[in-house]
Amino acid sequence: MRFATNKYIVRYRVYKGKKNGPFKHVASISAYERKTFTDEEADKYSYYVTSITKQGLESKASNVIHPKK
């Protein structure tokens, strides 16, 4: 996964789960550092991302993705 930048966003949260959930927070990505997330078992899970603003507010979930090999 790659993440876009925005001056109001300070962090992204990656959530992982089976196709219909439940999902668990598995990574926090700083908006000021790396912009990728890798999981060797990605083809077995589904993911969504949220963004965190400078004020600590979490966005709505992105669309759920289902990576394939």
Side-chain angles (χ1 to χ4, degrees):
M1 284 185 232
R2 292 189 185 274
F3 304 92
T5 58
N6 177 308
K7 67 180 182 178
Y8 301 105
I9 295 172
V10 296
R11 183 178 309 112
Y12 298 92
R13 288 185 180 157
V14 179
Y15 292 83
K16 172 181 175 178
K18 293 294 183 181
K19 187 174 184 177
N20 295 316
F23 287 83
K24 180 180 178 182
H25 174 228
V26 294
S28 290
I29 311 294
S30 170
Y32 305 109
E33 297 176 10
R34 64 186 174 129
K35 303 288 189 296
T36 60
F37 171 78
T38 304
D39 184 349
E40 295 297 323
E41 299 181 315
D43 59 322
K44 298 177 184 176
Y45 295 95
S46 297
Y47 301 84
Y48 71 83
V49 176
T50 61
S51 58
I52 308 298
T53 66
K54 291 178 181 180
Q55 294 79 22
L57 301 173
E58 186 168 13
S59 71
K60 292 182 180 180
S62 68
N63 292 333
V64 176
I65 62 166
H66 315 283
K68 297 178 182 174
K69 278 192 173 182

